[in-house]
């Protein structure tokens, strides 16, 4: 698993300045690789349905894909908390905490 404590590139700004993230290239590559794998899983699920695969087997694949997608969300949330939220709070923007709580609530609705 990729560590999110990597030094930030100097030419990039915090996400709250222009509402952009500032992930390292290594982190972006990790996330993209995971998403490409998930995209393949989705295509596989579609194929299973087209082939009339037993429902329980399809559901198992859906559960695995959901877990993989949740893994991506957890990595992004961790990076967001350690960079964007931390920097905003240090700058005195305590509304960032309310934004974070809303984001966590969205993730927990599942």
């Amino acid at each position: 698993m990729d560590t999110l404590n990597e030094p930030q590139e100097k030419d990039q700004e915090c996400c709250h300045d222009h509402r952009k993230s500032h992930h390292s290239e290594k982190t972006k590559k990790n996330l993209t690789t995971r998403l490409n794998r998930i995209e393949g899983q989705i295509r596989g699920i579609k194929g299973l349905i087209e082939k009339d695969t037993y429902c329980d087997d399809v559901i198992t694949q859906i559960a695995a894909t959901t877990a993989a997608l949740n893994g991506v969300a957890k990595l992004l949330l961790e990076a967001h908390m350690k960079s964007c939220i931390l920097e905003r709070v240090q700058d005195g923007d305590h509304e960032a905490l309310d934004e974070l709580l809303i984001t966590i609530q969205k993730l927990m609705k599942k």
Side-chain angles (χ1 to χ4, degrees):
M1 192 176 286
D2 186 23
T3 179
L4 297 173
N5 294 327
E6 302 161 359
Q8 299 298 317
E9 295 177 18
K10 292 180 182 178
D11 62 333
Q12 295 176 330
E13 299 178 24
C14 178
C15 57
H16 77 277
D17 293 337
H18 299 287
R19 301 297 288 186
K20 289 186 177 183
S21 66
H22 55 282
H23 303 295
S24 70
E25 288 303 315
K26 184 177 179 183
T27 299
K28 283 195 266 187
K29 185 175 191 274
N30 180 11
L31 292 170
T32 300
T33 299
R34 287 167 174 260
L35 289 169
N36 286 339
R37 194 174 310 125
I38 292 166
E39 186 177 27
Q41 288 176 296
I42 297 292
R43 283 193 301 271
I45 292 167
K46 182 180 175 189
L48 292 175
I49 291 171
E50 290 170 348
K51 294 175 187 172
D52 296 321
T53 302
Y54 186 63
C55 298
D56 189 57
D57 296 334
V58 177
I59 291 168
T60 298
Q61 291 305 311
I62 290 171
T65 304
T66 300
L69 199 51
N70 284 337
V72 171
K74 287 176 191 176
L75 281 176
L76 282 170
L77 180 62
E78 180 181 349
H80 185 56
M81 290 172 67
K82 289 181 176 180
S83 60
C84 302
I85 298 298
L86 179 62
E87 290 174 24
R88 287 176 61 187
V89 170
Q90 288 173 340
D91 289 344
D93 180 2
H94 296 279
E95 290 179 13
L97 296 175
D98 292 330
E99 175 187 292
L100 176 61
L101 290 172
I102 290 168
T103 299
I104 292 170
Q105 288 172 354
K106 288 176 187 176
L107 286 174
M108 294 178 72
K109 281 187 178 179
K110 301 171 183 180

